Amino acid sequence: MMAGFLDDDRPAPKRAHEIGQDLSQLSVAELSERIVLLEAEIERLKEAREKKSASRSAADAFFKKA
């Protein structure tokens, strides 16, 4: 059966960072890794915001001319 599959020694998957979570148990390396990941996510969010803003501006301009 598959019961042994669930009891293996593989490390548990890392949990995603949660805003406000306790950071006291994280190492300096883990904190640095999270900073890099969060900075990349901030850039991704800024790019999405810019694209949406550009689309909105284009739509506003189109409908104002009509």
Side-chain angles (χ1 to χ4, degrees):
M1 292 211 158
M2 299 274 290
F5 179 72
L6 298 175
D7 296 331
D8 64 0
D9 294 328
R10 288 185 291 175
K14 288 186 179 180
R15 289 181 32 181
H17 183 78
E18 296 176 17
I19 303 300
Q21 79 178 84
D22 178 23
L23 304 176
S24 65
Q25 299 300 311
L26 297 175
S27 69
V28 172
E30 288 170 319
L31 290 168
S32 296
E33 180 181 317
R34 288 189 185 205
I35 289 169
V36 168
L37 292 172
L38 289 169
E39 286 174 340
E41 183 65 4
I42 289 168
E43 286 304 312
R44 189 177 77 90
L45 289 165
K46 286 179 179 179
E47 289 172 9
R49 180 180 62 185
E50 288 173 13
K51 287 179 184 178
K52 286 184 179 264
S53 180
S55 294
R56 175 73 186 252
S57 294
D60 288 346
F62 176 79
F63 288 109
K64 285 180 182 177
K65 291 180 180 179

